[in-house]
Amino acid sequence: QVHLVESGGGLVQAGGSLRLSCAASARTFSRYAMGWFRQAPGKEREFVTAISWSGGSIYNADSVKGRFSISRDNAKDTVYLQMNSLKPEDTAVYSCAAWDTRGISAYYFREATVNYWGKGTLVTVSS
């Protein structure tokens, strides 16, 4: 069982930055690929980014490429999402996700493949 707790959400102006953190309670954090999804008001949850166990493979949604960056610290059992150049359309609840696999591929962009979820943290970007 993996327990995920997000932090770092809040209100920011367009063009600003935020850094989200996801702390995991897992016996072996490094065995899990990690990622982030988001759900905007009135919309379905969508894939944002994912990172393999070592950090060697990273996938980003087209909507965040060049602006968002995922990283992980296996010594701290934590994954991060650095969000820069934020836009009002980035407003959403951001949820941390864990897959019981070390590698990552496009197959894992679907939320049905996620093994563990955090409760989410709200990011609001004002115009």
Side-chain angles (χ1 to χ4, degrees), residues 99-118:
W99 292 270
D100 194 2
T101 178
R102 287 190 160 187
I104 201 74
S105 68
Y107 168 80
Y108 297 99
F109 293 3
R110 297 178 296 129
E111 63 175 297
T113 65
V114 175
N115 296 110
Y116 303 100
W117 290 100

Side-chain angles (χ1 to χ4, degrees), residues 78-94:
T78 301
V79 63
Y80 304 97
L81 180 62
Q82 178 66 44
M83 304 185 294
N84 299 325
S85 302
L86 282 160
K87 305 174 181 180
E89 51 264 43
D90 294 319
T91 294
V93 173
Y94 285 73

Side-chain angles (χ1 to χ4, degrees), residues 8-10 12 15-20 36 38 48 64 67-70 80-86 90 94 121-123 125:
V12 63
S17 298
L18 276 178
R19 188 195 196 201
L20 305 183
W36 294 88
R38 68 184 181 185
V48 176
V64 305
R67 300 188 299 121
F68 290 13
S69 176
I70 189 172
Y80 304 97
L81 180 62
Q82 178 66 44
M83 304 185 294
N84 299 325
S85 302
L86 282 160
D90 294 319
Y94 285 73
T121 185
L122 177 63
V123 172
V125 184

Side-chain angles (χ1 to χ4, degrees), residues 56-72:
S57 295
I58 290 174
Y59 286 80
N60 295 308
D62 289 342
S63 58
V64 305
K65 283 181 180 177
R67 300 188 299 121
F68 290 13
S69 176
I70 189 172
S71 61
R72 65 188 295 161

